[in-house]
Structures are given as C-alpha cells and as structure tokens.
Amino acid sequence: MIRFDGVTKQFPDGTVAVDDLSLTAPTGKITVLVGPSGCGKTTSLRMVNRMIEPTKGSISLDGQDTGRMKQSELRRGIGYVIQHAGLFPHRTVLDNIGTVPRLLGWDRKRTQERSRELLERVGLDPALGDRYPAQLSGGQQQRVGVARALAADPPVMLMDEPFSAVDPIVRDQLQDEFLRLQDELGKTIIFVTHDIDEAIKLGDQVAVLRVGGQLAQVAEPSYLLAHPADDFVADFVGRDRGYRALQFQPTPRLPLRSERTIVLGEQPAAGSGAWLLVVDEQRKPLGWVEPARIGSRGVEDADLHRGGTVARAAGTLRGALDAALSSPSRRGVVVDDSGVLVGTVLAHEVLSAIEDTDRPERDEEDPVHGGAVALAEDGA
Amino acid sequence: MIGSLLSWLTDPANWSGSDGIPTRLLEHLTYALMTMVIAAAVALPLGLWIGHSGRMRWLVTATNAARAVPTLGLLFAASLLVGPVLKGDAAYLAPSIAVLVLLAVPPLLAGTYAGVEAVDPAARDAARGVGMTGWQVLRQVELPCALPLVMSGLRTAVLQVVATATIAAYIGLGGLGRYLVDGIALGDYPRAAGGALLVALLAIALEGLLALLQRRLVSPGLTGRGRRVGGSRNDDESVAAEANARTAVAPGGRPGTSS
Ligand SMILES: Nc1ncnc2c1ncn2[C@@H]1O[C@H](COP(=O)(O)OP(=O)(O)OP(=O)(O)O)[C@@H](O)[C@H]1O
Ligand SMILES: [Mg+2]
C-alpha cells in the first residue's frame, strides 16, 4: 500500500505542482493518476521513489515513511517505467532487463535466466534479447521497459505514461497484455496517463487531478462515471460516460434465444430466414450469411458477413449491447469462455437488463473519496 | 627530391645510433605518451564531472580559448621561466610537455563533457530511477554512452600532440622534430622532409590504432553496428551503412509479431 499524506510539492520557482494530496494506492491494485497536462501527475509519481522530494507531507510504503529510507535502496525495490522507455542504448535488451538484479548483486547466470524469462513474459521474441534498443520498434522498447521494471520482482510499480508514445493499435495490445500480466502478478501499481479512456480501462481506482495539483476525485471507474464529484471531473470524464459505464456492469442472465446454425459448405435449408449464423465444427461463430443470396449451393467463406462483434456470456453489458448493435441480423452473438456459441440476444433485451441493474451508490458525505477502493484487505 | 628523400630513409646509417630513426621515434612516442597520460588524468575526470553535474561549464569554453595561444611562443616563455629552476633534461622536458598538455586538454575535455552532456536524459533518468547511485550512473551509463565523443576528442588530441611534439626539438630535446630542425638548419632537405614524413606516418598509424580501439570499446548499440535481424553483423562504419542498418531493422520489428 502506498499512502500520500498531505503531500505538497512546490518547486524553487514557486510553481505548486502538487497541493495537499492525500491518496492511498491499495496493495495489489492499479491506481491511475489522470488529469490534464501539467496537473502534477508525474511530480506525484516521482515523489514516491523520491526522484523528487516533497516539500510538505509524507509518503509511506506499507506503513514505512519513504523519507527515511536510503534513496537507492528505495528505488531498487520499486519498478519504474517511463514514457519513452529510457532504455540504456549501449546495453543489449537482456542486459537492460537485468539492470536491477545486477545492482542487487545477483550473479550473471541467474540474472540472464531471469531476463530471458521476463522477455517472454512481456510477449517478446527471445531472439530479440541480443539486440540493442535502437534496433527495436517503439512498442518493443516499451515492453522491454516494463520487463526491466519487473526484473527484481518489486512489489510496487510506478508507470509514467508507458504506452503513450505508440500508435493506438499497439497501445491497445500493450494495455491488454499489461492487464493480463497484472492478473498474474498482482503488483501495487501507480499508473500515470492523461488519457481518461486508458485510466478507465486499466484502473482499479482512478484519481483525477486538476491543474494546480489538487485531487478532484478518486474512485473506482464505474463510480467515477456514475457520480463525478464536480463539473471538472464530469467534463474530464467526457461524453458517452453512460455508455462507457456499461463496461463495468457484468452481464446478468440474459434471455438468450437459440439460433439456427450452418457449417461452411452446407446448403441453407429452405425457410431459414433472412440471416443464418455460420459456425465451425466446434460451434464457434464465424459470421452471418443471407440464404437468399446463396440459393442452392454450399456456403462459402466469401459469403460471410463478419461485421458483428461477439459478446462473452460472462462479459459486460457493454459487450452484449455492442454485439446486438453491430450484428447484421440485429441478433447479438453470445459465446461462452471458450468461444462456443450459446445463443443470441436482441438490443432491447440488453437494454431492459441494463434498466434492471443497480448503479453504484453515491456517497453523499465524501464526494471526492467516496468511490475509492475499499481498503479492508490492507488492514489500513 | 623524392629520390634523395628515399635514399635518406633507406640509408642504414639513419636507422641506428642515438640519432637513428628508431631512437627518435621512441623519444617522440614517449613525449606524446607522457603528454596524453597527464592530459587524460586532468581532462577525463574533469569532463565527466562537468557533464555529470552540469556545473562549471564555462571551464570547457575557457580551455578552448587557450588553443589560440601560439604554441612556439608559449614554449620559449615556459622554458625561460622553468629553465633556471630545473636541472638537466627536465629543464627542457617539463616546459615542452606542459605546452603539449595545454594543447591536448581542450579537445579531450570538450569531447568528454559533450559526450556526457549528450546522453539521452531519459536514460539518465531511468538510471537514477532503477536505483543507481551517482557514481554508478556515471560509470555504467554516462561514461559508456559518452565514449564515442570521448574517443574522438582523444583522437584529435593525439594527432595534435604527435604533430606538435616536433617543437620540443627547438629547445634542444629529441624526437622526430630533431630531423626537421637540424635538417633545416643544415640545409639538409632530405633529412627535414624525411622527418616530416615520419611524423605524418606516425600520426596516421596512431589514428588507425585508436580507431580500432574505439571500435572495440564503444558498444555497437551506439553506432548502429549491432546485430541485425538475421543475426549478421554490419561492420561497415560509414554513415550510409549505419542508416541502412537502422532501416533494415524496421520491417521485421513490428511489435506483436511474437505475442
Ligand atoms: N523542475 C521543475 N521546476 C519547476 N516547475 C516544474 C518542474 N517540474 C514540473 N514543474 C511544473 O509542475 C507542474 C506539474 O508538472 P508535472 O510534470 O507533474 O505535470 P504532469 O501532470 O505530469 O503533466 P503532463 O501530462 O504534461 O506530463 C507543471 O506546471 C510544471 O511546469
Ligand atoms: Mg507527466
């Protein structure tokens, strides 16, 4: 658990970058700091590993005041990922990853093994290990940056806009892998971004800062979307927040209809309706076809409409609604966790399910901290 | 002219004794080496420190200005000043080396400082961020990253020192400058030309040696000579090849191909 206690940072030139920040980042969770440019996100983050010293207040790690620890030791115990990866250009990828283990005095062999293991962990080809950073793409460098931060298995990670320098598709991919990795590792993470969508997607808890370095609100993403504390937060969270909040609503039991299906090569039976769902041998959906256009021949790959998204039955209401909205037949395809068809659902059925769900309850007493992640499990 | 130069160079009499080419060459090298050791001992730590701490940058500019002082005048002034104090050869050696050091320090200092200064701030920041101490940052990141510029400063300094060490002969010391000074004084032009040629050859040889050393010391990650996708090495140092090496990486380097 990382705890900010009335932390203020005023730079020598008088700029107040962070103003009386009190915030707790719970153990094993991702806390995202988000806000407009210059609101003090980086400054807040860097005060945790004392790359910047607070002017006032204190920061503690699992109850220990960081101000009393030795800087280099504190930092070796905290993974730190920065925006442009900041890899050491003269070291190979493997040596970059092994930086902290070497500083901690691990022998060469153990460091090498650990570095190789991490290379794979972050989804990189082991053959890249002997390359130099200049020979990697931006996305690959960013992964190496994450691997380097993870190398000595620190319980705490600080990440400053780690995915902002790559294109949107790669970013999405990196985010997904990051979440998968965090599922396995359960680190205590503070993650900085100026992108509210990234914050909502990644955060177990999102802290919104305003310029001047004040905390505007800290809450779980669904709460933030449902109950922004003030106009600034509401504005920052942006439009579509009602729709986006659906991604935090687990799908309740939907009234699924069974769907007539057909396999590639088969000929549609007479009277199959306007749209017919094509599945493979394992009953995994492939796409929709229009029997009227096929006539009396087998269904071919080229006949498939693949525009529709597929929702997981255990997924979110956003996924279910999107499946229905994007389906050419208007029937949203729902699958189980292994991708096998379980049925279809109509948009109005998803909507009535949405109407039946509860919105997170608003904490009237403390609109700023009300929706924060509960700390019971920390014993704090 | 060429013929007499050649016959001077190939005359066995010029290859032995206390005025023989091997002896003079060795003297010349000794002066150069002494100079470089002293200059490096001053300029390297100073340059590293200025680059690392960002303090006293003016010193780099100031030493650069010292290059403008005429070397020969300085040499005579220095030997007049030091001569009466020191005895024997030292009376000549000390001022000569001092003047040469003065010549070698500016390029070394500028190269070292510029090298450290030019280290990617993100890499330096990351080095501190992973918990390196100031000393470790300098030793493990700043110095290795600065090496290309340190080495080019060193090469410039060595060239200048080897060429200028000939002036030691003006105040009675040895080295290859002897042939030049004596040759001109005696009107023995083949000897003077031979001396000049030997200095030039020595400079070229040292330059080649240092280039090799640089290649060994500097990480391929900094020069674009690293392994490429196919695992082959690109040892061509030309800028064009460097650019090629970088673009050749790009197509195979899409992220996600491996995940
Ligand atoms: N070393 C410094 N000296 C003076 N002011 C500084 C210093 N570092 C940051 N600031 C100021 O403090 C404020 C907060 O900066 P910070 O870098 O924390 O913002 P940020 O939220 O990370 O912004 P961005 O999204 O642009 O990265 C800014 O107004 C910035 O100009
Ligand atoms: Mg920032």
Side-chain angles (χ1 to χ4, degrees), chain B residues 95-107:
Chain B
S96 306
I97 299 291
V99 167
L100 290 176
V101 166
L102 230 53
L103 211 61
V105 163

Side-chain angles (χ1 to χ4, degrees), chain A residues 11-13 15 17 35-44 161 194:
Chain A
F11 284 107
D13 68 357
T15 313
S37 187
C39 68
K41 307 180 291 290
T42 298
T43 306
S44 304
E161 310 212 22
H194 58 260

Side-chain angles (χ1 to χ4, degrees), chain A residues 46 75-76 90-91 123 135, chain B residues 125 131 140 219 227 249 258:
Chain A
R46 285 163 71 86
R75 291 175 191 160
R76 286 171 200 177
H90 62 295
R91 290 190 174 168
Q135 301 169 307
Chain B
D125 192 63
Q140 297 188 25
S219 156
R227 283 180 202 83
V249 166
S258 52

